[in-house]
Amino acid sequence: DVKVTQSSRYLVKRTGEKVFLECVQDMDHENMFWYRQDPGLGLRLIYFSYDVKMKEKGDIPEGYSVSREKKERFSLILESASTNQTSMYLCASRAAGVDTQYFGPGTRLTVL
Amino acid sequence: GQNIDQPTEMTATEGAIVQINCTYQTSGFNGLFWYQQHAGEAPTFLSYNVLDGLEEKGRFSSFLSRSKGYSYLLLKELQMKDSASYLCAVNAGNNRKLIWGLGTSLAVNP
């Protein structure tokens, strides 16, 4: 079974803090994704990575950066958290040549 | 543009059958997914259709018509645990990204 884990289920941070969200997958998948999910807006892609040290912007990259130093790990960084970044953050992974994405449990981030 | 439409909410009765529709307008098409998402949890994969027709998997079936830009998810013998949001997503040709619908919130009542 594919397993995608995220570092925290719930996180509370203050405005201006630097926030790291970590995602790890154990299936040697090449592709990894970061989404945020908000009521009425659905799943929106922030960044994705198709290989180590490779990244591409998704639909809403502003205010975020990512890091992929190892194949199994994909980190999302909020350089200076703001209240409008309060959201559910979901990580997903996918093998190359296969279309199905598998999701981690999500991190509910609250920025005060 | 790219667009996926699903009903926002549906209600059904335990033991019944429900059909959740999804229509899409995308620049390309390489397959359509259905995911289930319980409140506060991550989406889990249900089905994938790339060719026209019906794919059956236990109580769940998914249908695709590429010429009509249309899919549906059919849930039979509904159970209370089927209360969830059902997300339709299309691989529109960029093989690294999916286009997501906003989801259909299904409430199953006793």
Side-chain angles (χ1 to χ4, degrees):
Chain A
D1 279 352
V2 176
K3 189 169 183 182
V4 182
T5 58
Q6 295 184 225
S7 49
S8 306
R9 288 301 303 271
Y10 300 94
L11 205 54
V12 179
K13 295 291 182 181
R14 297 207 173 273
T15 302
E17 281 193 78
K18 191 169 187 176
V19 182
F20 293 88
L21 302 182
E22 300 253 296
C23 175
V24 178
Q25 50 93 5
D26 67 356
M27 287 302 293
D28 204 35
H29 284 174
E30 287 77 12
N31 301 311
M32 296 186 75
F33 305 81
W34 273 108
Y35 294 92
R36 63 179 284 179
Q37 187 175 34
D38 302 286
L41 296 176
L43 277 164
R44 293 182 291 167
L45 182 64
I46 305 171
Y47 267 97
F48 63 100
S49 169
Y50 50 91
D51 204 348
V52 175
K53 297 191 185 295
M54 306 300 284
K55 62 184 179 183
E56 284 195 29
K57 293 180 180 179
D59 300 317
I60 52 163
E62 296 79 19
Y64 303 95
S65 61
V66 290
S67 172
R68 191 151 180 218
E69 297 296 318
K70 293 185 178 182
K71 191 175 187 180
E72 68 271 18
R73 189 179 299 268
F74 191 34
S75 301
L76 180 70
I77 303 151
L78 287 66
E79 294 289 341
S80 177
S82 63
T83 54
N84 63 12
Q85 293 180 308
T86 291
S87 186
M88 169 71 102
Y89 288 88
L90 291 161
C91 173
S93 74
R94 194 200 72 170
V98 176
D99 294 318
T100 305
Q101 293 185 18
Y102 296 92
F103 286 84
T107 296
R108 184 162 294 282
L109 172 68
T110 302
V111 182
L112 301 176
Chain B
Q2 319 268 46
N3 193 50
I4 295 181
D5 285 316
Q6 313 178 226
T8 303
E9 295 179 338
M10 297 184 71
T11 304
T13 304
E14 195 174 13
I17 299 173
V18 71
Q19 178 176 309
I20 302 174
N21 296 325
C22 171
T23 57
Y24 62 90
Q25 295 165 318
T26 56
S27 55
F29 182 84
N30 280 339
L32 184 143
F33 294 84
W34 285 97
Y35 281 78
Q36 180 191 58
Q37 186 177 24
H38 286 101
E41 297 182 11
T44 55
F45 170 74
L46 286 178
S47 68
Y48 174 57
N49 294 69
V50 64
L51 299 176
D52 291 350
L54 189 67
E55 296 274 346
E56 296 187 76
K57 194 185 293 186
R59 293 189 299 114
F60 292 6
S61 303
S62 56
F63 171 83
L64 175 67
S65 169
R66 288 172 297 171
S67 63
K68 294 182 179 178
Y70 168 69
S71 172
Y72 68 72
L73 181 69
L74 193 71
L75 291 74
K76 303 175 187 175
E77 300 169 16
L78 280 171
Q79 302 175 9
M80 299 296 289
K81 67 178 183 179
D82 297 329
S83 293
S85 184
Y86 291 86
L87 307 176
C88 174
V90 171
N91 180 341
N94 179 334
N95 204 28
R96 302 184 186 113
K97 297 194 291 184
L98 296 179
I99 301 168
W100 294 86
L102 296 184
T104 298
S105 179
L106 173 66
V108 179
N109 298 320

mmCIF file of all heavy atoms in Angstrom, chain A residues 19 46-47 60-65 76-82 84-85 89:
data_model
loop_
_atom_site.group_PDB
_atom_site.id
_atom_site.type_symbol
_atom_site.label_atom_id
_atom_site.label_comp_id
_atom_site.label_asym_id
_atom_site.label_seq_id
_atom_site.Cartn_x
_atom_site.Cartn_y
_atom_site.Cartn_z
ATOM 1 N N VAL A 19 6.990 28.784 8.471
ATOM 2 C CA VAL A 19 6.321 27.506 8.728
ATOM 3 C C VAL A 19 6.832 26.459 7.744
ATOM 4 O O VAL A 19 6.935 26.720 6.546
ATOM 5 C CB VAL A 19 4.792 27.648 8.586
ATOM 6 C CG1 VAL A 19 4.104 26.321 8.900
ATOM 7 C CG2 VAL A 19 4.262 28.752 9.497
ATOM 8 N N ILE A 46 -0.492 24.162 -5.286
ATOM 9 C CA ILE A 46 0.459 25.199 -4.918
ATOM 10 C C ILE A 46 1.771 25.010 -5.688
ATOM 11 O O ILE A 46 2.241 25.902 -6.392
ATOM 12 C CB ILE A 46 0.732 25.183 -3.401
ATOM 13 C CG1 ILE A 46 -0.571 25.308 -2.616
ATOM 14 C CG2 ILE A 46 1.687 26.303 -3.009
ATOM 15 C CD1 ILE A 46 -0.415 25.073 -1.118
ATOM 16 N N TYR A 47 2.363 23.856 -5.524
ATOM 17 C CA TYR A 47 3.607 23.490 -6.208
ATOM 18 C C TYR A 47 3.597 21.984 -6.461
ATOM 19 O O TYR A 47 2.936 21.231 -5.759
ATOM 20 C CB TYR A 47 4.831 23.803 -5.329
ATOM 21 C CG TYR A 47 5.465 25.141 -5.532
ATOM 22 C CD1 TYR A 47 5.138 26.198 -4.681
ATOM 23 C CD2 TYR A 47 6.399 25.360 -6.541
ATOM 24 C CE1 TYR A 47 5.727 27.449 -4.846
ATOM 25 C CE2 TYR A 47 6.986 26.610 -6.707
ATOM 26 C CZ TYR A 47 6.645 27.646 -5.855
ATOM 27 O OH TYR A 47 7.233 28.880 -6.014
ATOM 28 N N ILE A 60 -1.388 28.521 -7.442
ATOM 29 C CA ILE A 60 -1.354 29.561 -6.405
ATOM 30 C C ILE A 60 -0.040 29.512 -5.627
ATOM 31 O O ILE A 60 -0.026 29.321 -4.417
ATOM 32 C CB ILE A 60 -2.552 29.445 -5.437
ATOM 33 C CG1 ILE A 60 -2.679 28.017 -4.884
ATOM 34 C CG2 ILE A 60 -3.859 29.868 -6.109
ATOM 35 C CD1 ILE A 60 -3.545 27.935 -3.645
ATOM 36 N N PRO A 61 1.106 29.755 -6.262
ATOM 37 C CA PRO A 61 2.389 29.627 -5.571
ATOM 38 C C PRO A 61 2.773 30.821 -4.694
ATOM 39 O O PRO A 61 3.700 30.705 -3.875
ATOM 40 C CB PRO A 61 3.373 29.499 -6.728
ATOM 41 C CG PRO A 61 2.731 30.301 -7.828
ATOM 42 C CD PRO A 61 1.246 30.091 -7.672
ATOM 43 N N GLU A 62 2.070 31.918 -4.823
ATOM 44 C CA GLU A 62 2.483 33.138 -4.121
ATOM 45 C C GLU A 62 2.452 32.930 -2.608
ATOM 46 O O GLU A 62 1.463 32.460 -2.050
ATOM 47 C CB GLU A 62 1.559 34.311 -4.498
ATOM 48 C CG GLU A 62 1.617 34.706 -5.961
ATOM 49 C CD GLU A 62 0.810 33.769 -6.858
ATOM 50 O OE1 GLU A 62 -0.062 33.044 -6.339
ATOM 51 O OE2 GLU A 62 1.063 33.774 -8.073
ATOM 52 N N GLY A 63 3.540 33.313 -1.953
ATOM 53 C CA GLY A 63 3.636 33.180 -0.502
ATOM 54 C C GLY A 63 4.178 31.847 -0.026
ATOM 55 O O GLY A 63 4.322 31.626 1.174
ATOM 56 N N TYR A 64 4.492 30.972 -0.986
ATOM 57 C CA TYR A 64 4.981 29.634 -0.661
ATOM 58 C C TYR A 64 6.279 29.341 -1.415
ATOM 59 O O TYR A 64 6.522 29.905 -2.474
ATOM 60 C CB TYR A 64 3.960 28.567 -1.059
ATOM 61 C CG TYR A 64 2.599 28.724 -0.452
ATOM 62 C CD1 TYR A 64 1.585 29.391 -1.142
ATOM 63 C CD2 TYR A 64 2.303 28.187 0.801
ATOM 64 C CE1 TYR A 64 0.309 29.525 -0.598
ATOM 65 C CE2 TYR A 64 1.034 28.312 1.348
ATOM 66 C CZ TYR A 64 0.050 28.991 0.646
ATOM 67 O OH TYR A 64 -1.204 29.137 1.184
ATOM 68 N N SER A 65 7.067 28.445 -0.849
ATOM 69 C CA SER A 65 8.182 27.865 -1.568
ATOM 70 C C SER A 65 8.236 26.390 -1.207
ATOM 71 O O SER A 65 7.549 25.942 -0.287
ATOM 72 C CB SER A 65 9.510 28.560 -1.233
ATOM 73 O OG SER A 65 9.796 28.421 0.156
ATOM 74 N N LEU A 76 6.933 21.994 2.122
ATOM 75 C CA LEU A 76 6.274 23.257 1.777
ATOM 76 C C LEU A 76 6.661 24.276 2.831
ATOM 77 O O LEU A 76 6.572 23.996 4.027
ATOM 78 C CB LEU A 76 4.760 23.074 1.742
ATOM 79 C CG LEU A 76 3.939 24.327 1.391
ATOM 80 C CD1 LEU A 76 4.150 24.702 -0.079
ATOM 81 C CD2 LEU A 76 2.450 24.089 1.667
ATOM 82 N N ILE A 77 7.073 25.459 2.388
ATOM 83 C CA ILE A 77 7.548 26.488 3.298
ATOM 84 C C ILE A 77 6.707 27.745 3.119
ATOM 85 O O ILE A 77 6.522 28.219 1.991
ATOM 86 C CB ILE A 77 9.036 26.800 3.015
ATOM 87 C CG1 ILE A 77 9.859 25.523 3.148
ATOM 88 C CG2 ILE A 77 9.541 27.877 3.984
ATOM 89 C CD1 ILE A 77 11.077 25.478 2.295
ATOM 90 N N LEU A 78 6.228 28.237 4.243
ATOM 91 C CA LEU A 78 5.571 29.542 4.258
ATOM 92 C C LEU A 78 6.583 30.503 4.867
ATOM 93 O O LEU A 78 6.883 30.423 6.060
ATOM 94 C CB LEU A 78 4.291 29.511 5.100
ATOM 95 C CG LEU A 78 3.075 28.779 4.532
ATOM 96 C CD1 LEU A 78 3.290 27.274 4.407
ATOM 97 C CD2 LEU A 78 1.846 29.073 5.386
ATOM 98 N N GLU A 79 7.144 31.371 4.048
ATOM 99 C CA GLU A 79 8.245 32.220 4.499
ATOM 100 C C GLU A 79 7.818 33.163 5.617
ATOM 101 O O GLU A 79 8.558 33.396 6.562
ATOM 102 C CB GLU A 79 8.798 33.019 3.322
ATOM 103 C CG GLU A 79 9.460 32.160 2.249
ATOM 104 C CD GLU A 79 10.790 31.558 2.712
ATOM 105 O OE1 GLU A 79 11.369 32.068 3.697
ATOM 106 O OE2 GLU A 79 11.233 30.565 2.094
ATOM 107 N N SER A 80 6.637 33.702 5.507
ATOM 108 C CA SER A 80 6.100 34.608 6.523
ATOM 109 C C SER A 80 4.586 34.407 6.543
ATOM 110 O O SER A 80 3.859 34.978 5.732
ATOM 111 C CB SER A 80 6.455 36.057 6.167
ATOM 112 O OG SER A 80 5.886 36.957 7.101
ATOM 113 N N ALA A 81 4.153 33.580 7.467
ATOM 114 C CA ALA A 81 2.758 33.153 7.462
ATOM 115 C C ALA A 81 1.801 34.335 7.611
ATOM 116 O O ALA A 81 2.067 35.282 8.377
ATOM 117 C CB ALA A 81 2.519 32.143 8.575
ATOM 118 N N SER A 82 0.700 34.245 6.903
ATOM 119 C CA SER A 82 -0.348 35.264 7.018
ATOM 120 C C SER A 82 -1.686 34.576 7.285
ATOM 121 O O SER A 82 -1.842 33.381 7.032
ATOM 122 C CB SER A 82 -0.428 36.097 5.736
ATOM 123 O OG SER A 82 -0.795 35.272 4.647
ATOM 124 N N ASN A 84 -4.422 34.647 5.787
ATOM 125 C CA ASN A 84 -5.106 34.072 4.624
ATOM 126 C C ASN A 84 -4.475 32.753 4.163
ATOM 127 O O ASN A 84 -4.932 32.147 3.183
ATOM 128 C CB ASN A 84 -5.199 35.071 3.464
ATOM 129 C CG ASN A 84 -3.845 35.484 2.935
ATOM 130 O OD1 ASN A 84 -2.819 34.883 3.259
ATOM 131 N ND2 ASN A 84 -3.821 36.506 2.109
ATOM 132 N N GLN A 85 -3.463 32.309 4.868
ATOM 133 C CA GLN A 85 -2.888 30.992 4.604
ATOM 134 C C GLN A 85 -3.431 29.932 5.564
ATOM 135 O O GLN A 85 -2.990 28.776 5.534
ATOM 136 C CB GLN A 85 -1.361 31.051 4.661
ATOM 137 C CG GLN A 85 -0.784 31.878 3.511
ATOM 138 C CD GLN A 85 0.721 31.962 3.550
ATOM 139 O OE1 GLN A 85 1.302 32.317 4.597
ATOM 140 N NE2 GLN A 85 1.368 31.679 2.441
ATOM 141 N N TYR A 89 -3.834 21.741 4.300
ATOM 142 C CA TYR A 89 -2.786 21.502 3.317
ATOM 143 C C TYR A 89 -2.647 19.999 3.105
ATOM 144 O O TYR A 89 -2.475 19.223 4.045
ATOM 145 C CB TYR A 89 -1.465 22.099 3.789
ATOM 146 C CG TYR A 89 -1.482 23.599 3.719
ATOM 147 C CD1 TYR A 89 -1.955 24.362 4.789
ATOM 148 C CD2 TYR A 89 -1.069 24.264 2.562
ATOM 149 C CE1 TYR A 89 -2.012 25.745 4.715
ATOM 150 C CE2 TYR A 89 -1.121 25.648 2.482
ATOM 151 C CZ TYR A 89 -1.601 26.371 3.559
ATOM 152 O OH TYR A 89 -1.673 27.744 3.475
#
